Amino acid sequence: MLHYLEKEARKLEHRSTRAIIENVSRRKFLGGALAASGFVLAVSVPNAEALEPLKPYPTGGEGMPHGYGKASDPHVYVSIANDGAVTIVTHRAEMGTGIRTSLPMVVADEMEADWSRVSVVQAPGDEPLYGNQDTDGSRSMRHFIQPMRECGAAMRQMLETAAAAKWGVDVSLCRAKAHHVVLLDEAKKETGPKLGYGELSEAAMALPVPPRESLLFKTPEEFTLMRKGETKIVDLRDITVGKAVYGADVRLPGMKFAVIARPPVLGGKIKSFDATEAKKIPGVESVFEIEGVYDVPRKFGQLGGVAVVANSTYAAILARDALEIEWDDGPNASYDSVPFFKEMSKTASEPGKVIRNQGDFDAAWNGAKSTFTGEYHMQHLVQAPMEPLVCVARIEGGKAEVWAPVQSPYGARQDIAAALKLPIEDVTVHVTLLGGGFGRKSKWDYMVEAALISQKLEGKPVLLQWTRDDDTRHSFYHTASVERIDMAFDEAGKVTGFRHRTVAPSILSTFAPDSGYQFNIEYGMGFVNTPFDVPNIRCENGKAMAHTRIGWYRSVSNIPRLFAVQSAVCEAAHQLGKDPKDFLLELIGPDRKLDPKALGFPEDFWNYGDPYEEFPIDTARLKNVVRIAAEKAGWGKELPKGQGLGIAAHIAWGTAVATVVHAEVTDDGTITVPHAVTALDCGFYVNPERIRSQIEGAAVMGMSHALYSGITFKNGAVEQSNFSDFSIATMRNFPRQVDVHIVEPKAGQHATGIGEPGLPPFAPALANAVFAATGKRLRNLPMGEKVA
Amino acid sequence: MATFTVNGESRTFDGDPGTPLLWYLRDEAGLTGTKYGCGQGVCGACTIHLDGVAVRACMTTIEMAEGKSVTTIEGLSADGEHAVQKAWRQLSVPQCGFCQAGQIMQAASLLSKNNAPSDDEIVEEMSGNLCRCGCYQRIHAAVRLAAGGV
Ligand code: FES
Ligand code: FES
């Protein structure tokens, strides 16, 4: 995400789209050339009956910083010990999605490794070697499925070639199977002797990597791990016995513990501070000021403040409580959520900057038989991963070493090197397990802080702990937004005009001077790409300035947009006397791949960073998941009083998702969810068990921001501090049963995203279900646990 | 000076008796399986057993542990094969895993006093243990599964 933003920000400054165009055409050329040669060379390679050439396709992965690196090279990603133990590198961060298991599974499957003899090793931040490591944007599988399959296939073919040399036979008689290479007889039967991978390892690794065009891949029927849903995550045992290592579990000899008192208002500076009482706390060793980054844009610059170093986390926290600090709050002290929403609402009632324009909305509106208007609000959110931010840093002999739960270890490494004025080779970033991330841990301010503290301590190892309060009060928040939907209907109840206005402080404000307007990445998330078959569509953006750090949170702008759009669809259906699911399907219209040009999408339309021709918006796939979810949830069935079904659907990160929520409103007005069904089509999928867990989790997180969670500001400071006032769903009230249906992919369908797209449909589906149950329409997030 | 046991080993601590066990365990004893999530008793990530009963380590001081036995996730079973741990693995409960030591300790405590909890009793007992990844459906099912085997 970040690198995209930086790039997009720069692009906006230069007002040039040339780079994108050049990039796209270069990709097309590459894809075409490789695809053609793959078929030619495939003929002479062994086991063709069970293998197939793959048609390589471009993804946004190539355009990310350092692209795929050497990810398809087994010399970089795989090692095989003499006893046959296989180790596979995992370069993306594990924050609960299961990616640390799923990507190595791809390599192991393609190379015919026995999973019980595979272990994984976490890569440090090194993108030139491993390829891009920004673990966000639901990109890991989407972008790395190809290099990982290539890596595994290359390893398999190298093992077969090594065996052929040992036996002195043609490679077409050697077949890799279950951690061995077996010699085939003339009938291609596996009757001959076998060589274990351990025995072949040295010879195989000495071989060059076969050219990409000569690689053959397993067909889905031959998969042993992919699509199977029986593979346990590699850290499962360690997690259940308390041995899994997260950020704060790193222990170094002589390590100190630190916390920082940060300015309550963004951009605030220390006027004065008194550490007399703090220094009296036993165990406290030093108290000093940490400079902040005050120039705008701050990017991921640290906030500054007063650091307290002690011999335990507890002493550091106690001493920080005892500090007396006077802050100069600066101009953001005016930020107050209540008037800010009033202003945003007013802005949404006026024309904004036109971002998408198809047909003539005004004519449709003026000629309408009837109309609908709905305005939907959403408060800021904090990611609140269960593990608060933390980082361990040490500088020894001019070399810095850092350990952290981080989503973007290479970006962090670059900025730490700059902050410490060290060449990047002298900085190492180790990635621990992440106790959740949700976007917060791709912003590495906490790591720069830890490095600066260690530097002040002459390189001594230090663990910087953010408390939950710090985590709640100093995030890069999900934006606060007002979304307004206007629809025009004709005599027959057809939608003739659709207008969506969005007003929300932009993420771009973190990276570039704030214009008050959003930018193409935000516009690409459920705003300009709403796939409705309506002749006149206009999307407008009204101005809203940022007064806090705005960042991304799992699913980003899709959350408020989809809440507005899918709530409005249900409201309009009710107004027109139609069934909400049928009306949704009617709006989506005929089966087609949207043509962004013909539909007035902006020139710089952002398709999750992927080339549109390869990852088009396909309404047939969207309608399919809508139908599956509706059918599995028993759409249309009679329900007792106080119960109802609601639906919402979208395509995001390439994945089509539909969710039906069954809500039951109890006698005291409490909203509960006995059942929810999600159907999704993510194309080529790998690990169905982890897909289900992501969707189950998305339902709970969706319930959290639908009913409970909100961050508000008063006098520039966050009003919440901990889970006591930033509430999330608990076992007392969560979606009790979530069923997940994964659409089987057709040949040639690409892998798409999973981590994020399951989240946005939940809240609107729930609001629609509450309406069906009670007739009450809830338009503001969080809606509250009770219907008034 | 306070004396207590941790996972069966006898320990003494002569620092501030008001130190929460959480920080003693993590920073002094080097037992990092017990997690810090909120520091205010509202998330359950730090759940341990004090004389076999689930408590929040962030709200339990050294003083309160005097003469008692403390059990952490590392000591729940010698071989990691407690029925709750097994059930957790069988149903692949964890996502990021950060809350899970606390969840497992809470569930083990529940089952040690009630080996056939009803659905509502599970909810009641487990609702103070937050999971931001949203594993509740599987946690609930795993407690039931473990109940069969305790
Ligand atoms: S850290 Fe103890 S309850 Fe949250
Ligand atoms: S598994 Fe991540 S917080 Fe529970």
Side-chain angles (χ1 to χ4, degrees):
Chain A
M1 189 81 191
L2 158 80
H3 293 288
Y4 265 122
L5 288 167
E6 293 249 32
K7 226 164 62 182
E8 294 301 324
R10 256 181 273 133
K11 232 182 274 160
L12 287 189
E13 279 164 25
H14 299 150
R15 307 236 176 274
S16 156
T17 51
R18 201 190 182 134
I20 313 179
I21 296 159
E22 278 172 2
N23 229 351
V24 169
S25 45
R26 184 180 58 87
R27 282 176 185 144
K28 251 197 224 145
F29 172 72
L30 276 178
L34 289 169
S37 56
F39 280 110
V40 179
L41 285 164
V43 187
S44 66
V45 186
N47 313 328
E49 65 277 11
L51 298 170
E52 60 186 3
L54 273 195
K55 187 171 174 279
Y57 57 89
T59 74
E62 292 136 37
M64 293 292 290
H66 307 104
Y68 299 145
K70 296 184 171 27
S72 51
D73 184 346
H75 299 112
V76 174
Y77 264 72
V78 182
S79 76
I80 308 177
N82 290 340
D83 66 355
V86 168
T87 306
I88 300 175
V89 169
T90 181
H91 75 302
R92 310 288 281 192
E94 180 57 75
M95 50 186 157
T97 63
I99 202 64
R100 194 168 127 88
T101 301
S102 303
L103 281 175
M105 261 169 72
V106 175
V107 179
D109 196 334
E110 280 294 352
M111 71 178 270
E112 272 293 317
D114 171 354
W115 186 249
S116 69
R117 302 175 74 183
V118 172
S119 50
V120 305
V121 56
Q122 187 72 40
D126 189 352
E127 292 185 351
L129 191 59
Y130 300 111
N132 182 267
Q133 292 180 282
D134 290 329
T135 314
D136 52 17
S138 299
R139 278 190 290 244
S140 295
M141 196 52 80
R142 188 156 51 101
H143 287 175
F144 279 89
I145 181 74
Q146 294 188 99
M148 291 293 103
R149 291 192 76 186
E150 285 167 20
C151 180
M155 189 70 247
R156 166 171 33 81
Q157 287 175 213
M158 286 155 71
L159 286 158
E160 287 172 343
T161 306
K166 280 216 169 139
W167 285 322
V169 301
D170 191 80
V171 69
S172 64
L173 293 175
C174 300
R175 177 181 294 165
K177 191 114 187 224
H179 232 79
H180 290 83
V181 177
V182 55
L183 183 62
L184 306 179
D185 59 23
E186 260 145 43
K188 292 279 168 96
K189 291 252 155 48
E190 296 169 11
T191 54
K194 291 177 179 181
L195 282 167
Y197 279 5
E199 298 167 85
L200 292 167
S201 150
E202 257 168 61
M205 283 301 184
L207 294 169
V209 182
R212 194 186 189 196
E213 315 80 69
S214 72
L215 296 177
L216 284 181
F217 300 85
K218 290 166 82 172
T219 58
E221 299 73 50
E222 299 293 314
F223 290 166
T224 52
L225 297 165
M226 290 192 267
R227 308 257 169 95
K228 295 294 182 239
E230 285 144 25
T231 313
K232 299 284 183 194
I233 54 170
V234 294
D235 300 298
L236 185 56
R237 188 175 178 90
D238 284 352
I239 289 170
T240 59
V241 299
K243 280 199 191 131
V245 176
Y246 299 86
D249 304 336
V250 173
R251 304 280 130 168
L252 299 177
M255 189 172 87
K256 303 296 169 197
F257 299 85
V259 294
I260 299 178
R262 297 176 188 79
V265 176
L266 176 64
K269 292 182 182 165
I270 298 167
K271 245 193 232 162
S272 65
F273 76 96
D274 180 353
T276 319
E277 291 304 311
K279 284 185 176 157
K280 288 184 191 158
I281 307 279
V284 171
E285 302 191 352
S286 52
V287 179
F288 48 82
E289 197 176 330
I290 291 277
E291 253 315 279
V293 171
Y294 303 108
D295 289 341
V296 181
R298 293 178 182 86
K299 301 185 180 172
F300 297 158
Q302 72 279 7
L303 293 169
V306 181
V308 180
V309 181
N311 63 6
S312 77
T313 319
Y314 181 57
I317 293 172
L318 278 187
R320 184 177 71 173
D321 289 347
L323 283 173
E324 306 245 353
I325 309 177
E326 218 189 317
W327 300 100
D328 177 359
D329 287 338
N332 288 322
S334 64
Y335 191 31
D336 196 327
S337 293
V338 176
F340 194 75
F341 266 91
K342 280 206 187 106
E343 201 183 304
M344 286 203 294
S345 178
K346 182 168 172 288
T347 306
S349 70
E350 296 156 0
K353 184 161 124 185
V354 178
I355 309 299
R356 173 184 172 188
N357 198 18
Q358 173 202 337
D360 185 346
F361 174 83
D362 289 336
W365 183 259
N366 293 332
K369 169 82 167 96
S370 61
T371 62
F372 166 81
T373 294
E375 193 180 290
Y376 306 86
H377 294 195
M378 182 170 128
Q379 301 285 352
H380 286 293
L381 291 170
V382 62
Q383 298 84 353
M386 208 67 213
E387 175 197 42
L389 301 174
V390 61
C391 178
V392 172
R394 163 173 80 187
I395 307 164
E396 226 173 46
K399 291 189 197 293
E401 225 177 334
V402 168
W403 290 256
V406 55
Q407 293 176 242
S408 298
Y410 195 74
R413 184 175 159 194
Q414 290 172 316
D415 274 12
I416 291 168
L420 297 178
K421 303 197 172 53
L422 287 176
I424 191 155
E425 305 77 56
D426 291 341
V427 176
T428 307
V429 173
H430 303 282
V431 183
T432 65
L433 287 177
L434 283 67
F438 314 116
R440 178 60 180 96
K441 290 171 184 165
S442 21
K443 294 113 177 162
W444 47 76
D445 52 340
Y446 58 108
M447 296 173 67
V448 174
E449 288 175 344
L452 290 175
I453 294 174
S454 175
Q455 191 179 45
K456 285 241 187 188
L457 300 175
E458 280 147 8
K460 261 193 216 134
V462 66
L463 182 155
L464 170 69
Q465 180 68 58
W466 280 49
T467 63
R468 174 58 57 193
D469 293 41
D470 299 339
D471 197 274
T472 309
R473 291 186 162 132
H474 304 293
S475 188
F476 292 78
Y477 299 94
H478 187 298
T479 196
S481 64
V482 170
E483 308 281 327
R484 177 184 158 127
I485 308 289
D486 295 287
M487 283 191 243
F489 312 115
D490 67 11
E491 312 269 325
K494 277 248 164 235
V495 183
T496 53
F498 183 94
R499 182 173 64 198
H500 185 164
R501 284 197 187 127
T502 180
V503 183
S506 172
I507 288 172
L508 194 56
S509 62
T510 301
F511 299 97
D514 190 11
S515 67
Y517 292 102
Q518 300 172 44
F519 74 130
N520 68 336
I521 291 184
E522 290 164 313
Y523 296 145
M525 289 192 260
F527 182 56
V528 297
N529 48 352
T530 298
F532 290 167
D533 183 32
V534 173
N536 306 292
I537 297 184
R538 174 134 30 104
C539 300
E540 295 174 7
N541 178 203
K543 193 170 172 173
M545 304 301 286
H547 302 283
T548 182
R549 303 194 291 186
I550 306 293
W552 48 97
Y553 168 108
R554 185 185 188 183
S555 302
V556 207
S557 313
N558 282 296
I559 299 174
R561 266 68 173 280
L562 199 71
F563 179 66
V565 170
Q566 298 287 307
S567 296
V569 166
C570 182
E571 291 202 59
H574 180 71
Q575 187 176 318
L576 297 168
K578 297 184 181 184
D579 173 78
K581 185 258 301 175
D582 294 342
F583 184 57
L584 174 60
L585 288 171
E586 178 191 322
L587 267 171
I588 297 168
D591 291 356
R592 67 203 183 284
K593 293 184 175 120
L594 296 198
D595 177 350
K597 263 215 161 68
L599 299 176
F601 281 29
E603 284 274 311
D604 61 352
F605 166 56
W606 184 79
N607 190 41
Y608 296 94
D610 284 330
Y612 189 81
E613 321 81 74
E614 295 293 336
F615 295 85
I617 300 167
D618 183 340
T619 57
R621 291 172 80 175
L622 180 58
K623 283 157 64 190
N624 185 40
V625 293
V626 167
R627 290 197 185 101
I628 295 171
E631 189 204 309
K632 302 283 181 188
W635 188 268
K637 69 185 170 192
E638 280 293 315
L639 287 171
K641 195 173 164 294
Q643 297 189 29
L645 298 183
I647 192 165
H650 71 157
I651 295 177
W653 292 275
T655 299
V657 188
T659 295
V660 174
V661 168
H662 178 167
E664 179 175 354
V665 178
T666 62
D667 292 342
D668 71 347
T670 305
I671 299 168
T672 67
V673 177
H675 190 205
V677 177
T678 289
L680 64 97
D681 179 350
C682 60
F684 184 103
Y685 68 90
V686 169
N687 193 349
E689 192 279 320
R690 283 295 100 175
I691 293 173
R692 275 194 292 276
S693 66
Q694 281 299 289
I695 300 301
E696 291 162 15
V700 175
M701 200 175 226
M703 184 102 159
S704 289
H705 69 236
L707 301 188
Y708 306 107
S709 314
I711 288 287
T712 52
F713 286 77
K714 183 100 194 149
N715 299 327
V718 172
E719 293 189 283
Q720 293 72 22
S721 63
N722 206 313
F723 289 121
S724 46
D725 44 17
F726 180 79
S727 307
I728 62 171
T730 71
M731 200 180 269
R732 210 177 286 286
N733 195 5
F734 75 103
R736 287 303 287 268
Q737 193 194 327
V738 177
D739 294 331
V740 183
H741 300 275
I742 305 168
V743 174
E744 281 304 312
K746 296 206 178 77
Q749 287 182 343
H750 305 334
T752 58
I754 279 299
E756 293 165 277
L759 180 58
F762 192 88
L766 177 56
N768 294 341
V770 168
F771 178 78
T774 64
K776 296 236 166 67
R777 176 53 61 178
L778 301 171
R779 297 194 183 90
N780 298 337
L781 294 178
M783 306 189 279
E785 195 182 37
K786 290 196 173 159
V787 185
Chain B
M1 165 113 69
T3 306
F4 47 92
T5 68
V6 177
N7 299 333
E9 260 177 57
S10 133
R11 304 258 185 170
T12 57
F13 181 65
D14 58 6
D16 178 358
T19 303
L21 275 177
L22 170 67
W23 299 118
Y24 166 79
L25 290 167
R26 292 188 53 83
D27 295 351
E28 293 283 334
L31 291 166
T32 55
T34 303
K35 302 301 184 211
Y36 165 70
C38 72
Q40 293 183 357
V42 291
C43 80
C46 65
T47 303
I48 55 168
H49 294 175
L50 195 60
D51 282 348
V53 177
V55 296
R56 307 295 184 229
C58 68
M59 304 302 284
T60 309
T61 60
I62 289 284
E63 213 164 18
M64 294 156 79
E66 170 64 41
K68 300 206 164 145
S69 74
V70 173
T71 309
T72 70
I73 184 73
E74 290 94 337
L76 178 63
S77 63
D79 53 2
E81 298 293 323
H82 187 284
V84 172
Q85 291 168 314
K86 284 205 284 204
W88 244 247
R89 294 195 288 265
Q90 197 175 327
L91 298 185
S92 289
V93 171
Q95 289 182 36
C96 81
F98 194 78
C99 71
Q100 300 295 346
Q103 305 278 3
I104 289 169
M105 295 306 280
Q106 187 71 32
S109 167
L110 158 67
L111 295 180
S112 71
K113 56 185 188 209
N114 176 359
N115 62 12
S118 66
D119 280 357
D120 287 350
E121 284 169 336
I122 296 174
V123 166
E124 190 54 39
E125 188 81 5
M126 300 301 297
S127 62
N129 287 74
L130 305 184
C131 176
R132 183 61 161 155
C133 297
C135 305
Y136 299 131
Q137 181 173 333
R138 295 194 196 196
I139 291 169
H140 195 278
V143 175
R144 289 179 53 145
L145 178 66
V150 165

